[in-house]
């Protein structure tokens, strides 16, 4: 399952093929929020910098699996959290009815909020099942190499400010330099949500960090 933010970033950066492969899946196994396909069909300018990006995303969305119904008790535990928007709540709760699924989100605020709920023991079913944008970038780096990743992301460098800080607008960067930048962001998530984040899929960065210290 992937949230709109990750999918829009992947579409702008030409990384759509990497979204499912980061967990060894295919697009027919990806689920998305029902709000995204119609807005993609209209090439909503609030979402897309260029109609061509929407046109590139549309056939991928057409192959997606239906989103499972949100698990009622799980969504009840997430409701009222203003730092987890409704779309993220739906994705996280839908994962409750798809126990083998991962949730890939670009919303670090939501991840940190979810980690706080997880630390209270309220959402054990999401342990090890949440992934972030930096993990997608790590996977893309491993499959495309640094030069191609830089070329693609720099087509729309302002899409994500953390990614811009890591990759920059111009100049060369080695794989090691990019990994170092990604790791610096992953360290924070590792500290706030060590049990929540998925490891061993798409990104070696969290595996290298190990479990966070208590």
């Amino acid at each position: 399952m992937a949230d709109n933010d990750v999918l829009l970033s992947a579409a702008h950066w030409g990384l759509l093929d990497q979204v499912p492969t980061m967990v060894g899946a295919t697009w027919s196994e990806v689920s998305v929020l029902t709000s995204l396909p119609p807005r993609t069909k209209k090439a909503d300018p609030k979402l897309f910098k260029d109609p061509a990006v929407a046109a590139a995303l549309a056939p991928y969305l057409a192959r997606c699996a239906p989103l499972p119904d949100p698990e009622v008790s799980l969504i009840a535990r997430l409701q009222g959290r203003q730092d987890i928007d409704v779309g993220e709540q739906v994705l996280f709760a839908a994962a409750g009815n798809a126990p083998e699924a991962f949730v890939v989100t670009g919303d670090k605020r939501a991840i940190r909020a979810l980690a706080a709920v997880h630390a209270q023991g309220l959402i054990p079913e999401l342990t090890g099942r949440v992934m972030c944008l930096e993990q997608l970038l790590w996977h893309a780096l491993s499959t495309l190499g640094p030069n191609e990743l830089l070329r693609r992301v720099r087509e729309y460098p302002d899409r994500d400010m953390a990614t811009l800080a890591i990759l920059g607008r111009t100049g060369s960067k080695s794989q090691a330099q990019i990994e170092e930048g990604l790791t610096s962001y992953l360290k924070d998530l590792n500290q706030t949500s060590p049990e929540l984040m998925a490891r061993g899929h798409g990104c070696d960065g969290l595996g290298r960090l190990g479990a966070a210290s208590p």
Side-chain angles (χ1 to χ4, degrees):
M1 302 177 191
D3 78 347
N4 291 359
D5 186 61
V6 162
L7 292 172
L8 291 170
S9 292
H12 282 84
W13 296 338
L15 302 180
L16 289 168
D17 288 334
Q18 282 70 41
V19 172
T21 59
M22 67 190 294
V23 293
T26 65
W27 271 96
S28 64
E29 298 171 284
V30 176
S31 297
V32 303
L33 292 170
T34 57
S35 61
L36 186 57
R39 297 183 73 181
T40 299
K41 185 176 181 180
K42 296 177 182 177
D44 187 337
K46 292 182 179 179
L47 301 184
F48 299 97
K49 300 289 186 182
D50 188 313
V53 177
L57 177 58
Y60 287 88
L61 297 181
R63 291 153 57 189
C64 287
L67 187 71
D69 292 332
E71 205 280 310
V72 177
S73 68
L74 182 50
I75 204 166
R77 283 171 268 162
L78 297 175
Q79 282 180 334
R81 295 287 314 209
Q82 296 182 355
D83 39 11
I84 306 177
D85 69 32
V86 173
E88 302 294 332
Q89 289 181 18
V90 169
L91 283 178
F92 293 139
N97 277 330
E100 301 300 318
F102 296 91
V103 180
V104 188
T105 174
D107 189 341
K108 292 186 183 65
R109 182 168 173 257
I111 292 176
R112 293 187 182 100
L114 192 68
V117 180
H118 187 272
Q120 299 170 26
L122 298 178
I123 50 169
E125 56 266 61
L126 294 183
T127 297
R129 298 176 60 197
V130 177
M131 304 187 77
C132 63
L133 180 61
E134 284 73 22
Q135 287 171 290
L136 172 61
L137 289 169
W138 193 297
H139 175 59
L141 175 64
S142 69
T143 57
L144 300 173
N147 293 337
E148 182 61 16
L149 179 64
L150 289 171
R151 185 191 70 79
R152 295 189 188 195
V153 173
R154 285 173 176 173
E155 290 289 322
Y156 296 95
D158 297 318
R159 201 25 246 171
D160 178 75
M161 291 300 101
T163 302
L164 176 59
I166 295 167
L167 301 183
R169 296 181 186 275
T170 60
S172 62
K173 284 184 178 288
S174 68
Q175 180 152 335
Q177 287 174 315
I178 296 173
E179 288 180 356
E180 182 180 1
L182 292 172
T183 299
S184 70
Y185 280 87
L186 289 167
K187 279 182 178 178
D188 177 60
L189 291 179
N190 190 59
Q191 289 294 327
T192 58
S193 48
E195 295 180 353
L196 188 66
M197 304 300 294
R199 298 166 187 270
H201 294 275
C203 170
D204 292 331
L206 283 172
R208 292 182 184 186
L209 291 173
S213 301

